[in-house]
Amino acid sequence: MLARQRQAVILEEIRRIGAVKVSDLVVRLGVSDMTVRRDLDVLAGRGLLEKVYGGATTVGGRSTDEPGFEAKSVRQLPEKEAIARLAADLVRPGTAIGLSAGTTTWTMARFLDDVPDLTVVTNSIRVADVLQQRGRTDRTVVLTGGVRTPSDALVGPVAVQALRSLHLDVVFLGVHGMAPRAGFTTPNLNESETNRALVDAAGRVVVVADSTKWGTVGISTIADLDEADVLVSDGGLSEQARQVLGESVGELRLADPPKQDQEQGVGA
């Protein structure tokens, strides 16, 4: 098992039960004590867990906690890919769409190759890179300017001003958290303002968020739940979450990752 896969298993286990022991991980992963501790050091360095004597625990959730792009990119990989595929099916040829910053929208960008005559507006350096690397002559990519955040988003007054002059058919919005009262949130105040401008420019709003985002609340609200025309999530949502979201968003779509990936434990 590769280091990335081991670390995904570790994160999934911590998400499931809140803590892990080095001794248990040695048995489960079939590697040495030193290898496990090295993996924990890497994950702790990315802010994904807190090391304790003999193991690690989940990081306490604060409304201003903002993991970097690399930290978020190892979480819920199969779920994000399934969500991204389903969301990409909503994109029509010849339209202008917006993609916010985030690892799910970044994943979604890879599934837009078959959509011709597309204009994509984004404040994500990572998303713009993916689209530009494809070299499509029938695609226009507009990258807004601004200050770079830990999630590689360009935010601030420059980005907001650029977005206020645009009219987009659909905006695909990645979020840090979603909850009944707080709505869709982010831990970054500047990113919230820029994402709000994206939402205001949209004819339709599609939120892409895996089930672990439910119940997480960032410091700033981007949009209320009922502002989402579509929410694309995964089957890990609890029945309570499905009920609340089903009554709030315009349409709730659930994507399930391949069973093989789930059995291998690759998806934290």
Side-chain angles (χ1 to χ4, degrees):
M1 187 181 291
L2 299 175
R4 183 184 179 93
Q5 293 174 307
R6 291 196 309 270
Q7 291 162 16
V9 171
I10 292 170
L11 288 175
E12 178 60 24
E13 191 69 1
I14 285 182
R15 184 181 72 82
R16 188 174 66 85
I17 61 177
V20 291
K21 293 181 179 180
V22 171
S23 56
D24 292 339
L25 291 173
V26 167
V27 174
R28 176 168 181 179
L29 299 174
V31 295
S32 68
D33 178 286
M34 183 177 296
T35 297
V36 170
R37 293 183 185 280
R38 191 158 49 237
D39 285 338
L40 294 180
D41 285 337
V42 170
L43 295 171
R46 294 175 179 171
L48 296 174
L49 54 78
E50 292 182 0
K51 289 188 67 182
V52 296
Y53 183 78
T57 64
T58 185
V59 176
R62 297 181 295 272
S63 64
T64 56
D65 283 342
E66 184 176 12
F69 185 92
E70 296 298 336
K72 292 186 289 187
S73 69
V74 300
R75 297 176 176 176
Q76 306 303 113
L77 300 181
E79 287 82 359
K80 287 178 180 177
E81 182 163 320
I83 290 167
R85 285 181 183 274
L86 189 56
D89 288 341
L90 300 174
V91 180
R92 298 291 175 259
T95 56
I97 69 169
L99 292 178
S100 75
T103 53
T104 307
T105 48
W106 169 68
T107 303
M108 179 184 166
R110 308 202 308 262
F111 296 114
L112 298 178
D113 278 351
D114 295 332
V115 185
D117 301 316
L118 194 63
T119 297
V120 181
V121 175
T122 185
N123 67 322
S124 168
I125 297 169
R126 302 278 187 154
V127 168
D129 282 346
V130 168
L131 295 170
Q132 292 288 66
Q133 287 168 9
R134 299 303 203 255
R136 290 268 298 274
T137 57
D138 62 338
R139 175 183 294 153
T140 301
V141 180
V142 180
L143 178 65
T144 68
V147 178
R148 189 170 181 171
T149 70
S151 59
D152 280 348
L154 297 177
V155 302
V158 175
V160 170
Q161 186 61 37
L163 291 169
R164 282 178 177 164
S165 64
L166 299 177
H167 306 282
L168 305 173
D169 296 301
V170 189
V171 162
F172 294 87
L173 182 69
V175 299
H176 174 75
M178 51 184 176
R181 292 181 60 187
F184 301 108
T185 60
T186 173
N188 188 297
L189 290 171
N190 287 327
E191 192 161 345
S192 177
E193 184 181 12
T194 302
N195 282 342
R196 180 74 240 183
L198 265 173
V199 170
D200 290 342
R204 296 179 75 216
V205 176
V206 178
V207 176
V208 289
D210 68 75
S211 57
T212 65
K213 304 293 178 66
W214 179 252
T216 297
V217 177
I219 191 173
S220 183
T221 295
I222 302 167
D224 293 332
L225 295 182
D226 61 9
E227 292 184 73
D229 295 287
V230 182
L231 169 64
V232 185
S233 190
D234 62 79
L237 282 175
S238 67
E239 286 302 320
Q240 181 211 20
R242 295 187 193 198
Q243 180 177 350
V244 172
L245 290 168
E247 294 172 353
S248 302
V249 303
E251 179 183 359
L252 176 62
R253 296 193 179 195
L254 300 180
D256 283 314
K259 290 183 178 180
Q260 182 177 3
D261 288 343
Q262 290 178 322
E263 290 169 359
Q264 289 175 345
V266 181

